[in-house]
Amino acid sequence: MFSGDQLVTQMSTLAQNSSSCLVFASGALVYRCDDPDFYADMIRKMYQATTQAFVFNMLDASRFPDHSLLVGHDRDKTTAFCQTLSPRVTVTEDYLEDDFTVFMYRE
């Protein structure tokens, strides 16, 4: 059975103890979490764990319906937060109706 707490623990441990050229988080940030800082913390930690780029996707709150397990995020707020961490951020949103992908580069 899926446990959100286990996912949070595993992602935190990975982000704190790893260093990789590229880090991809596909679908990892779409699950609901009671901690309001979880998503920003995970984005920050996974970006810090990379030497070149961090790529992740999220569900778009403006298009994704209310759901008990999954959660949409504000694309503009997410992008703005990422721009506080990375000198170059790009967003792709033209592949699925309710999804967007953020690319955060080190340079």
Side-chain angles (χ1 to χ4, degrees), residues 78-97:
T78 300
T79 302
F81 171 73
C82 293
Q83 290 171 332
T84 68
L85 303 173
S86 172
R88 185 168 63 127
V89 176
T90 61
V91 179
T92 300
E93 58 183 315
D94 59 353
Y95 57 98
L96 289 174
E97 182 178 325

Side-chain angles (χ1 to χ4, degrees), residues 23-40:
V23 175
F24 294 90
S26 179
L29 300 174
V30 301
Y31 294 97
R32 285 198 178 277
C33 182
D34 292 335
D35 178 0
D37 297 324
F38 169 74
Y39 305 101

Side-chain angles (χ1 to χ4, degrees), residues 41-101:
D41 289 346
M42 286 299 99
I43 291 168
R44 183 181 301 105
K45 288 175 183 177
M46 287 192 269
Y47 177 69
Q48 290 172 346
T50 185
T51 60
Q52 292 184 16
F54 171 45
V55 181
F56 65 94
N57 70 319
M58 293 179 134
L59 296 167
D60 188 335
S62 69
R63 298 179 182 184
F64 187 74
D66 191 38
H67 192 278
S68 61
L69 179 63
L70 307 177
V71 64
H73 300 273
D74 184 303
R75 184 182 64 244
D76 294 334
K77 287 182 182 178
T78 300
T79 302
F81 171 73
C82 293
Q83 290 171 332
T84 68
L85 303 173
S86 172
R88 185 168 63 127
V89 176
T90 61
V91 179
T92 300
E93 58 183 315
D94 59 353
Y95 57 98
L96 289 174
E97 182 178 325
D98 59 359
D99 200 90
F100 64 96
T101 298

